[in-house]
Amino acid sequence: MIKAGKSKLLTLVGSNIREQRKAQGLTQQQLAYESGLELSQVNRIELGKINTSVLQIAKICKVLDINPDKIFNFNIDEVEIE
Amino acid sequence: MIKAGKSKLLTLVGSNIREQRKAQGLTQQQLAYESGLELSQVNRIELGKINTSVLQIAKICKVLDINPDKIFNFNIDEVEIE
DNA sequence: ATTTAGTTAGGCAAATTTGCCTAATAATAA
DNA sequence: TTATTATTAGGCAAATTTGCCTAACTAAAT
């Protein structure tokens, strides 16, 4: 497995999360608190610096009250994975 | 973060992957080879034994030629996360 | 029954993430 | 400007995943 470093897909996922978070008028800190994640972790995820896990994505989606497909709303073969 | 152990959501994700894999007539070994993952890892994911990462899900989806939303096609607040 | 393919299990070291911390930078408001 | 909030950065230990391996178990077919 490669290091998360710079993955087009992860940055896309991250900016989708950020977009949805702001649409809800939440700060990273609020999202962190309500999802039970760390602020630093939410930040790493939004910036695509980390290859995070299914469960963390799910927790975030639950707080943002969106289904995960909102986060993965891209065409899989139009996106560079790594 | 909790250990993957028994998560309803992860077993759901896993069985979705399995369903799509079989729909393509692939074995775990073939899926593993084509996605660049380990056979044991594909197995762990399908059984929901592990809280795998966004990138691995993406690699699997690419091989199965489906968008990730096929894997996350459940209502987020109808599913127990952990 | 025997072979063959497919799935599952488990151990182990290495790699990576995660939580917790402190602090620096950026943005906003007052 | 000053103060306040928000984001970003980085280090570190602990937790977890991942790849690699061997082996056991299941199913299916012949």
PDB file of all heavy atoms in Angstrom, chain A residues 1 3-4 38 41 44 51, chain C residues 15-21:
ATOM      1  N   MET A   1       0.845  -1.201   0.000  1.00  0.00           N
ATOM      2  CA  MET A   1       0.000   0.000   0.000  1.00  0.00           C
ATOM      3  C   MET A   1       0.871   1.238   0.000  1.00  0.00           C
ATOM      4  O   MET A   1       1.825   1.354   0.755  1.00  0.00           O
ATOM      5  CB  MET A   1      -0.902  -0.010   1.231  1.00  0.00           C
ATOM      6  CG  MET A   1      -2.123   0.879   1.110  1.00  0.00           C
ATOM      7  SD  MET A   1      -3.151   0.463  -0.304  1.00  0.00           S
ATOM      8  CE  MET A   1      -4.243   1.860  -0.332  1.00  0.00           C
ATOM      9  N   LYS A   3       1.809   5.279   0.457  1.00  0.00           N
ATOM     10  CA  LYS A   3       1.527   6.311   1.454  1.00  0.00           C
ATOM     11  C   LYS A   3       0.485   7.262   0.867  1.00  0.00           C
ATOM     12  O   LYS A   3       0.434   7.483  -0.333  1.00  0.00           O
ATOM     13  CB  LYS A   3       2.818   7.068   1.763  1.00  0.00           C
ATOM     14  CG  LYS A   3       2.726   7.974   2.973  1.00  0.00           C
ATOM     15  CD  LYS A   3       4.098   8.486   3.320  1.00  0.00           C
ATOM     16  CE  LYS A   3       4.085   9.536   4.409  1.00  0.00           C
ATOM     17  NZ  LYS A   3       2.863   9.730   5.178  1.00  0.00           N
ATOM     18  N   ALA A   4      -0.306   7.828   1.729  1.00  0.00           N
ATOM     19  CA  ALA A   4      -1.416   8.660   1.272  1.00  0.00           C
ATOM     20  C   ALA A   4      -0.948   9.842   0.435  1.00  0.00           C
ATOM     21  O   ALA A   4      -1.542  10.179  -0.563  1.00  0.00           O
ATOM     22  CB  ALA A   4      -2.219   9.154   2.472  1.00  0.00           C
ATOM     23  N   GLU A  38     -10.768  13.402  15.957  1.00  0.00           N
ATOM     24  CA  GLU A  38      -9.910  14.494  16.372  1.00  0.00           C
ATOM     25  C   GLU A  38      -9.957  15.626  15.347  1.00  0.00           C
ATOM     26  O   GLU A  38     -10.090  15.383  14.141  1.00  0.00           O
ATOM     27  CB  GLU A  38      -8.470  14.001  16.493  1.00  0.00           C
ATOM     28  CG  GLU A  38      -8.209  13.227  17.764  1.00  0.00           C
ATOM     29  CD  GLU A  38      -8.447  14.085  18.996  1.00  0.00           C
ATOM     30  OE1 GLU A  38      -7.951  15.233  19.010  1.00  0.00           O
ATOM     31  OE2 GLU A  38      -9.111  13.614  19.923  1.00  0.00           O
ATOM     32  N   GLN A  41      -7.423  15.189  12.770  1.00  0.00           N
ATOM     33  CA  GLN A  41      -7.767  14.133  11.830  1.00  0.00           C
ATOM     34  C   GLN A  41      -8.749  14.632  10.777  1.00  0.00           C
ATOM     35  O   GLN A  41      -8.590  14.345   9.592  1.00  0.00           O
ATOM     36  CB  GLN A  41      -8.333  12.923  12.583  1.00  0.00           C
ATOM     37  CG  GLN A  41      -8.672  11.735  11.695  1.00  0.00           C
ATOM     38  CD  GLN A  41      -7.450  11.069  11.095  1.00  0.00           C
ATOM     39  OE1 GLN A  41      -6.339  11.526  11.247  1.00  0.00           O
ATOM     40  NE2 GLN A  41      -7.676   9.994  10.388  1.00  0.00           N
ATOM     41  N   ARG A  44      -6.723  16.569   8.377  1.00  0.00           N
ATOM     42  CA  ARG A  44      -5.928  15.718   7.482  1.00  0.00           C
ATOM     43  C   ARG A  44      -6.807  15.101   6.399  1.00  0.00           C
ATOM     44  O   ARG A  44      -6.415  14.990   5.238  1.00  0.00           O
ATOM     45  CB  ARG A  44      -5.222  14.624   8.289  1.00  0.00           C
ATOM     46  CG  ARG A  44      -4.075  15.146   9.147  1.00  0.00           C
ATOM     47  CD  ARG A  44      -3.328  14.018   9.851  1.00  0.00           C
ATOM     48  NE  ARG A  44      -4.049  13.467  11.001  1.00  0.00           N
ATOM     49  CZ  ARG A  44      -3.488  13.233  12.189  1.00  0.00           C
ATOM     50  NH1 ARG A  44      -2.210  13.482  12.392  1.00  0.00           N
ATOM     51  NH2 ARG A  44      -4.200  12.721  13.171  1.00  0.00           N
ATOM     52  N   ASN A  51      -5.022   8.490   4.000  1.00  0.00           N
ATOM     53  CA  ASN A  51      -5.891   7.494   3.386  1.00  0.00           C
ATOM     54  C   ASN A  51      -6.789   6.912   4.472  1.00  0.00           C
ATOM     55  O   ASN A  51      -6.526   5.840   5.006  1.00  0.00           O
ATOM     56  CB  ASN A  51      -5.030   6.408   2.747  1.00  0.00           C
ATOM     57  CG  ASN A  51      -5.852   5.343   2.076  1.00  0.00           C
ATOM     58  OD1 ASN A  51      -7.047   5.522   1.807  1.00  0.00           O
ATOM     59  ND2 ASN A  51      -5.225   4.220   1.795  1.00  0.00           N
TER      60      ASN A  51
ATOM     61  P    DA C  15       8.797  -0.792   6.138  1.00  0.00           P
ATOM     62  OP1  DA C  15       9.547  -0.676   4.871  1.00  0.00           O
ATOM     63  OP2  DA C  15       9.331  -0.241   7.399  1.00  0.00           O
ATOM     64  O5'  DA C  15       7.348  -0.162   5.903  1.00  0.00           O
ATOM     65  C5'  DA C  15       6.423  -0.839   5.057  1.00  0.00           C
ATOM     66  C4'  DA C  15       5.041  -0.267   5.258  1.00  0.00           C
ATOM     67  O4'  DA C  15       4.510  -0.708   6.524  1.00  0.00           O
ATOM     68  C3'  DA C  15       4.987   1.260   5.270  1.00  0.00           C
ATOM     69  O3'  DA C  15       3.991   1.676   4.347  1.00  0.00           O
ATOM     70  C2'  DA C  15       4.632   1.607   6.720  1.00  0.00           C
ATOM     71  C1'  DA C  15       3.878   0.371   7.176  1.00  0.00           C
ATOM     72  N9   DA C  15       3.935   0.093   8.607  1.00  0.00           N
ATOM     73  C8   DA C  15       5.054  -0.040   9.382  1.00  0.00           C
ATOM     74  N7   DA C  15       4.795  -0.314  10.650  1.00  0.00           N
ATOM     75  C5   DA C  15       3.418  -0.369  10.692  1.00  0.00           C
ATOM     76  C6   DA C  15       2.511  -0.620  11.749  1.00  0.00           C
ATOM     77  N6   DA C  15       2.883  -0.868  12.998  1.00  0.00           N
ATOM     78  N1   DA C  15       1.191  -0.598  11.457  1.00  0.00           N
ATOM     79  C2   DA C  15       0.812  -0.348  10.195  1.00  0.00           C
ATOM     80  N3   DA C  15       1.565  -0.095   9.122  1.00  0.00           N
ATOM     81  C4   DA C  15       2.870  -0.127   9.448  1.00  0.00           C
ATOM     82  P    DT C  16       3.844   3.227   4.017  1.00  0.00           P
ATOM     83  OP1  DT C  16       3.491   3.324   2.577  1.00  0.00           O
ATOM     84  OP2  DT C  16       4.987   3.967   4.583  1.00  0.00           O
ATOM     85  O5'  DT C  16       2.564   3.614   4.865  1.00  0.00           O
ATOM     86  C5'  DT C  16       1.380   2.825   4.749  1.00  0.00           C
ATOM     87  C4'  DT C  16       0.395   3.230   5.813  1.00  0.00           C
ATOM     88  O4'  DT C  16       0.834   2.734   7.096  1.00  0.00           O
ATOM     89  C3'  DT C  16       0.232   4.734   6.000  1.00  0.00           C
ATOM     90  O3'  DT C  16      -1.067   5.082   5.533  1.00  0.00           O
ATOM     91  C2'  DT C  16       0.405   4.982   7.499  1.00  0.00           C
ATOM     92  C1'  DT C  16       0.333   3.585   8.093  1.00  0.00           C
ATOM     93  N1   DT C  16       1.172   3.368   9.299  1.00  0.00           N
ATOM     94  C2   DT C  16       0.557   2.984  10.466  1.00  0.00           C
ATOM     95  O2   DT C  16      -0.642   2.829  10.560  1.00  0.00           O
ATOM     96  N3   DT C  16       1.404   2.794  11.530  1.00  0.00           N
ATOM     97  C4   DT C  16       2.777   2.936  11.533  1.00  0.00           C
ATOM     98  O4   DT C  16       3.432   2.735  12.544  1.00  0.00           O
ATOM     99  C5   DT C  16       3.359   3.337  10.280  1.00  0.00           C
ATOM    100  C7   DT C  16       4.833   3.528  10.171  1.00  0.00           C
ATOM    101  C6   DT C  16       2.534   3.532   9.240  1.00  0.00           C
ATOM    102  P    DT C  17      -1.622   6.575   5.726  1.00  0.00           P
ATOM    103  OP1  DT C  17      -2.517   6.821   4.599  1.00  0.00           O
ATOM    104  OP2  DT C  17      -0.532   7.505   6.030  1.00  0.00           O
ATOM    105  O5'  DT C  17      -2.504   6.376   7.036  1.00  0.00           O
ATOM    106  C5'  DT C  17      -3.363   5.251   7.105  1.00  0.00           C
ATOM    107  C4'  DT C  17      -3.958   5.096   8.490  1.00  0.00           C
ATOM    108  O4'  DT C  17      -2.910   4.871   9.472  1.00  0.00           O
ATOM    109  C3'  DT C  17      -4.760   6.300   8.997  1.00  0.00           C
ATOM    110  O3'  DT C  17      -5.940   5.792   9.594  1.00  0.00           O
ATOM    111  C2'  DT C  17      -3.817   6.938  10.017  1.00  0.00           C
ATOM    112  C1'  DT C  17      -3.101   5.728  10.580  1.00  0.00           C
ATOM    113  N1   DT C  17      -1.763   5.924  11.179  1.00  0.00           N
ATOM    114  C2   DT C  17      -1.530   5.504  12.472  1.00  0.00           C
ATOM    115  O2   DT C  17      -2.393   5.001  13.167  1.00  0.00           O
ATOM    116  N3   DT C  17      -0.240   5.693  12.924  1.00  0.00           N
ATOM    117  C4   DT C  17       0.813   6.244  12.217  1.00  0.00           C
ATOM    118  O4   DT C  17       1.920   6.356  12.720  1.00  0.00           O
ATOM    119  C5   DT C  17       0.504   6.673  10.874  1.00  0.00           C
ATOM    120  C7   DT C  17       1.574   7.275  10.034  1.00  0.00           C
ATOM    121  C6   DT C  17      -0.755   6.491  10.428  1.00  0.00           C
ATOM    122  P    DT C  18      -7.153   6.787   9.866  1.00  0.00           P
ATOM    123  OP1  DT C  18      -8.375   5.979   9.712  1.00  0.00           O
ATOM    124  OP2  DT C  18      -6.967   8.002   9.082  1.00  0.00           O
ATOM    125  O5'  DT C  18      -7.001   7.143  11.407  1.00  0.00           O
ATOM    126  C5'  DT C  18      -7.081   6.097  12.362  1.00  0.00           C
ATOM    127  C4'  DT C  18      -6.695   6.592  13.740  1.00  0.00           C
ATOM    128  O4'  DT C  18      -5.268   6.732  13.814  1.00  0.00           O
ATOM    129  C3'  DT C  18      -7.266   7.961  14.126  1.00  0.00           C
ATOM    130  O3'  DT C  18      -8.199   7.775  15.165  1.00  0.00           O
ATOM    131  C2'  DT C  18      -6.045   8.787  14.554  1.00  0.00           C
ATOM    132  C1'  DT C  18      -4.962   7.738  14.740  1.00  0.00           C
ATOM    133  N1   DT C  18      -3.570   8.172  14.429  1.00  0.00           N
ATOM    134  C2   DT C  18      -2.576   7.949  15.347  1.00  0.00           C
ATOM    135  O2   DT C  18      -2.770   7.428  16.428  1.00  0.00           O
ATOM    136  N3   DT C  18      -1.329   8.369  14.953  1.00  0.00           N
ATOM    137  C4   DT C  18      -0.986   8.979  13.758  1.00  0.00           C
ATOM    138  O4   DT C  18       0.175   9.319  13.510  1.00  0.00           O
ATOM    139  C5   DT C  18      -2.076   9.181  12.832  1.00  0.00           C
ATOM    140  C7   DT C  18      -1.832   9.831  11.505  1.00  0.00           C
ATOM    141  C6   DT C  18      -3.290   8.772  13.212  1.00  0.00           C
ATOM    142  P    DG C  19      -9.043   8.999  15.758  1.00  0.00           P
ATOM    143  OP1  DG C  19     -10.369   8.470  16.120  1.00  0.00           O
ATOM    144  OP2  DG C  19      -8.931  10.149  14.851  1.00  0.00           O
ATOM    145  O5'  DG C  19      -8.257   9.335  17.100  1.00  0.00           O
ATOM    146  C5'  DG C  19      -7.993   8.298  18.028  1.00  0.00           C
ATOM    147  C4'  DG C  19      -7.076   8.790  19.146  1.00  0.00           C
ATOM    148  O4'  DG C  19      -5.754   9.032  18.613  1.00  0.00           O
ATOM    149  C3'  DG C  19      -7.511  10.091  19.824  1.00  0.00           C
ATOM    150  O3'  DG C  19      -7.320   9.944  21.226  1.00  0.00           O
ATOM    151  C2'  DG C  19      -6.572  11.141  19.214  1.00  0.00           C
ATOM    152  C1'  DG C  19      -5.309  10.321  18.976  1.00  0.00           C
ATOM    153  N9   DG C  19      -4.434  10.780  17.907  1.00  0.00           N
ATOM    154  C8   DG C  19      -4.818  11.195  16.654  1.00  0.00           C
ATOM    155  N7   DG C  19      -3.812  11.527  15.884  1.00  0.00           N
ATOM    156  C5   DG C  19      -2.699  11.319  16.675  1.00  0.00           C
ATOM    157  C6   DG C  19      -1.317  11.516  16.383  1.00  0.00           C
ATOM    158  O6   DG C  19      -0.801  11.921  15.332  1.00  0.00           O
ATOM    159  N1   DG C  19      -0.503  11.183  17.465  1.00  0.00           N
ATOM    160  C2   DG C  19      -0.971  10.714  18.671  1.00  0.00           C
ATOM    161  N2   DG C  19      -0.043  10.448  19.597  1.00  0.00           N
ATOM    162  N3   DG C  19      -2.255  10.534  18.965  1.00  0.00           N
ATOM    163  C4   DG C  19      -3.057  10.855  17.925  1.00  0.00           C
ATOM    164  P    DC C  20      -7.892  11.071  22.219  1.00  0.00           P
ATOM    165  OP1  DC C  20      -8.289  10.381  23.457  1.00  0.00           O
ATOM    166  OP2  DC C  20      -8.847  11.919  21.493  1.00  0.00           O
ATOM    167  O5'  DC C  20      -6.587  11.931  22.541  1.00  0.00           O
ATOM    168  C5'  DC C  20      -5.468  11.304  23.179  1.00  0.00           C
ATOM    169  C4'  DC C  20      -4.293  12.255  23.211  1.00  0.00           C
ATOM    170  O4'  DC C  20      -3.714  12.346  21.888  1.00  0.00           O
ATOM    171  C3'  DC C  20      -4.640  13.696  23.607  1.00  0.00           C
ATOM    172  O3'  DC C  20      -3.906  14.065  24.751  1.00  0.00           O
ATOM    173  C2'  DC C  20      -4.262  14.529  22.391  1.00  0.00           C
ATOM    174  C1'  DC C  20      -3.213  13.636  21.739  1.00  0.00           C
ATOM    175  N1   DC C  20      -3.022  13.911  20.297  1.00  0.00           N
ATOM    176  C2   DC C  20      -1.730  14.009  19.778  1.00  0.00           C
ATOM    177  O2   DC C  20      -0.772  13.855  20.540  1.00  0.00           O
ATOM    178  N3   DC C  20      -1.568  14.274  18.461  1.00  0.00           N
ATOM    179  C4   DC C  20      -2.626  14.436  17.675  1.00  0.00           C
ATOM    180  N4   DC C  20      -2.419  14.694  16.381  1.00  0.00           N
ATOM    181  C5   DC C  20      -3.950  14.331  18.178  1.00  0.00           C
ATOM    182  C6   DC C  20      -4.105  14.067  19.486  1.00  0.00           C
ATOM    183  P    DC C  21      -4.286  15.395  25.535  1.00  0.00           P
ATOM    184  OP1  DC C  21      -3.995  15.139  26.957  1.00  0.00           O
ATOM    185  OP2  DC C  21      -5.634  15.858  25.125  1.00  0.00           O
ATOM    186  O5'  DC C  21      -3.211  16.438  24.967  1.00  0.00           O
ATOM    187  C5'  DC C  21      -1.846  16.275  25.318  1.00  0.00           C
ATOM    188  C4'  DC C  21      -0.932  16.979  24.331  1.00  0.00           C
ATOM    189  O4'  DC C  21      -1.196  16.537  22.985  1.00  0.00           O
ATOM    190  C3'  DC C  21      -1.057  18.484  24.217  1.00  0.00           C
ATOM    191  O3'  DC C  21      -0.317  19.119  25.254  1.00  0.00           O
ATOM    192  C2'  DC C  21      -0.441  18.779  22.862  1.00  0.00           C
ATOM    193  C1'  DC C  21      -0.494  17.440  22.141  1.00  0.00           C
ATOM    194  N1   DC C  21      -1.187  17.505  20.825  1.00  0.00           N
ATOM    195  C2   DC C  21      -0.418  17.743  19.687  1.00  0.00           C
ATOM    196  O2   DC C  21       0.805  17.878  19.804  1.00  0.00           O
ATOM    197  N3   DC C  21      -1.036  17.812  18.480  1.00  0.00           N
ATOM    198  C4   DC C  21      -2.358  17.655  18.398  1.00  0.00           C
ATOM    199  N4   DC C  21      -2.915  17.723  17.187  1.00  0.00           N
ATOM    200  C5   DC C  21      -3.166  17.409  19.542  1.00  0.00           C
ATOM    201  C6   DC C  21      -2.545  17.348  20.741  1.00  0.00           C
TER     202       DC C  21
END
